[in-house]
Amino acid sequence: QVQVVESGGGLVQSGGSLRLSCVASGSIFTFYVMGWYRQAPGKQRELVAGIKSGGNTDYADSVKDRFTISRDNAKNTVYLQMNSLKPEDSAVYYCNAKTVFAEYWGQGTQVTVSS
């Protein structure tokens, strides 16, 4: 069975940094897109950043120049380096992994940025 597991969330001060990791496993098909979404209380889940197996990336405007997404295809692992964090970045961050047939979600990891 496919599993998607995030780690790296926590509590940080404004201006601080965190690195999130996500490992996808259990599929014989390529996870051709992996990405990070976030959801704050009372708000819809939104795309933060995505990356294709070939390396193409996409970012939400609100995190451009602060966050960097990368992946290790051999490990089916995606990372999100978050710098210059702001209170408005506080949310549960979810990892998403897509194959040609389906998409899978992790359980989420909490990121809290204090002011």
Side-chain angles (χ1 to χ4, degrees):
Q1 298 297 315
V2 172
Q3 290 187 305
V4 179
V5 181
E6 308 101 328
S7 62
L11 173 64
V12 297
Q13 296 285 318
S14 294
S17 298
L18 284 173
R19 189 184 72 161
L20 306 183
S21 299
C22 170
V23 180
S25 63
S27 177
I28 63 172
F29 302 102
T30 300
F31 295 108
Y32 73 95
V33 180
M34 298 182 72
W36 292 93
Y37 292 72
R38 67 187 182 188
Q39 187 167 29
K43 294 188 176 182
Q44 296 183 13
R45 188 173 298 188
E46 63 177 353
L47 174 70
V48 178
I51 184 167
K52 295 181 179 179
S53 59
N56 297 80
T57 59
D58 185 39
Y59 295 92
D61 288 342
S62 60
V63 307
K64 288 180 179 177
D65 303 318
R66 298 189 297 122
F67 293 8
T68 302
I69 189 169
S70 61
R71 66 185 287 169
D72 184 333
N73 290 331
K75 297 180 179 180
N76 286 325
T77 300
V78 63
Y79 306 94
L80 186 68
Q81 179 66 47
M82 304 186 294
N83 299 324
S84 301
L85 283 162
K86 305 174 181 179
E88 52 262 46
D89 295 317
S90 296
V92 177
Y93 283 69
Y94 296 92
C95 182
N96 176 267
K98 296 180 181 179
T99 71
V100 67
F101 293 114
E103 64 179 334
Y104 307 91
W105 293 92
Q107 81 288 346
T109 184
Q110 178 71 51
V111 172
T112 303
V113 184
S114 64
S115 60

